[in-house]
Amino acid sequence: MIPPAFEYLRPKTVPEAIALLKQHGDEAKILSGGQSLIPMMKLRLARPGYLIDINRIAGLAYIKEEGGFLKIGGLTREAELEASPLVRSKYPLLTDTTAVIADPQVRNLATVGGNLAHGDPANDHPATMLALGASVVAIGPSGEREIPVEKFFPGLFTTALQPDEILKEIRIPIPTPSSGGAYLKLERKVGDYATAGVAVQVTLDGSGTCTRAGIGLTNVGFTPIKATKAEASLQGKVLDKAAIQQAAQLAASESQPTDDIRGSADYKRDLVRVLTSRAIERAIARVKGGA
Ligand SMILES: Cc1cc2nc3c(=O)[nH]c(=O)nc-3n(C[C@H](O)[C@H](O)[C@H](O)COP(=O)(O)OP(=O)(O)OC[C@H]3O[C@@H](n4cnc5c(N)ncnc54)[C@H](O)[C@@H]3O)c2cc1C
């Protein structure tokens, strides 16, 4: 299928891109990897009059630790994240997540910034960023602002970005040494969106007590869900079987799935319970040096 006609604009700098966004307002869309936007245009679900391709802007793709954060440039490809030795060694939750997004061809083009900016509750990064306590740096006509990821998804396919803002960077607090995470997703076949997905990140102290827990849920509501009750239930506890089961039950109760082609709401709720329990167990194993 061929998308409707549009004007193609190719700025070379961020200020140029912002000026174009300001000039064309609601009619303009940023083009990053194009792996969500172009299919939506082909299906006539999006009809931007102007595509502002930011792929030629230097300095928007990077992965680095700086000032207490892992900083990921908005234009960083999924394939770069997946292959990063830094991410593999210290952020297994991120590696788990990127590895189950679509297929290698899509991951060669799709960007981490685009995954968040699209605002799709079926996308995998939002839950992971919620679990990691990340924030997003947006840049617009009046400069930069930082938005916590928990405030970034106000509604279905909606984000806190203004129409004239670009998602420039994702910031993840560098976890303390006794931390571990895991992302588990059930998909009908490789490359599919999640029937349900669960991201978990935990920090334990020397006695094995949980000092921080982050839990995010994928595709079981109109927005990505931060399972705050489940998180709170783990805090201050030694993570034995009973504590894990209680958190998993709470996460299931916080999910808001609907019946669709991937399964019934009841099935998905129970899936969240099972995946949460397994993801916590894997996260704990990783704190202790497991794979
Ligand atoms: C076959 C297939 C299977 C897929 N399966 C999965 C999956 O299992 N899990 C998953 O998470 N995703 C999946 N995806 C989606 C994929 O990860 C997308 O690439 C991603 O959601 C969007 O990233 P992008 O760089 O391609 O963004 P684009 O398609 O270029 O843009 C998407 C939206 O975000 C906006 N945008 C993009 N970048 C920015 C920015 N820096 N600042 C402001 N706005 C911006 C665009 O204007 C547009 O509205 C799949 C895609 C395909 C084609």
Side-chain angles (χ1 to χ4, degrees), residues 177-195:
S178 300
S179 301
Y183 185 68
L184 292 180
K185 161 180 175 178
L186 183 79
E187 51 193 354
R188 293 174 303 173
K189 59 184 170 59
V190 171
D192 192 20
Y193 289 91
T195 303

Side-chain angles (χ1 to χ4, degrees), residues 26-157:
D26 282 347
E27 278 202 84
K29 278 265 174 211
I30 294 287
L31 177 73
S32 286
Q35 297 303 295
S36 290
L37 183 55
I38 301 296
M40 285 187 77
M41 289 170 66
K42 288 181 174 176
L43 292 168
R44 298 327 194 240
L45 294 171
R47 284 176 176 265
Y50 299 87
L51 277 196
I52 302 174
D53 182 348
I54 60 170
N55 284 276
R56 304 300 195 288
I57 300 178
L60 284 180
Y62 50 85
I63 302 168
K64 61 183 177 196
E65 283 185 333
E66 192 180 75
F69 295 94
L70 175 71
K71 297 184 174 178
I72 302 171
L75 207 54
T76 306
R77 312 284 163 187
E78 297 294 347
E80 291 168 325
L81 194 68
E82 194 179 358
S84 159
L86 169 65
V87 173
R88 272 178 188 271
S89 64
K90 282 181 71 177
Y91 302 86
L93 171 51
L94 277 177
T95 310
D96 280 0
T97 308
T98 190
V100 294
I101 288 177
D103 52 53
Q105 279 169 306
V106 170
R107 295 201 291 272
N108 281 336
L109 280 173
T111 65
V112 186
N115 196 284
L116 297 174
H118 192 46
D120 185 347
N123 276 0
D124 294 291
H125 277 303
T128 289
M129 298 304 174
L130 284 169
L132 288 166
S135 58
V136 155
V137 178
I139 182 162
S142 36
E144 291 188 11
R145 66 187 179 111
E146 200 169 331
I147 311 159
V149 169
E150 52 195 277
K151 298 216 168 108
F152 191 67
F153 302 105
L156 184 64
F157 286 103

Side-chain angles (χ1 to χ4, degrees), residues 18 28 44 64 72 87 125 166-167 240 253 255 264:
I18 292 168
R44 298 327 194 240
K64 61 183 177 196
I72 302 171
V87 173
H125 277 303
I166 295 173
L167 192 162
D240 56 15
S253 72
S255 68
S264 69

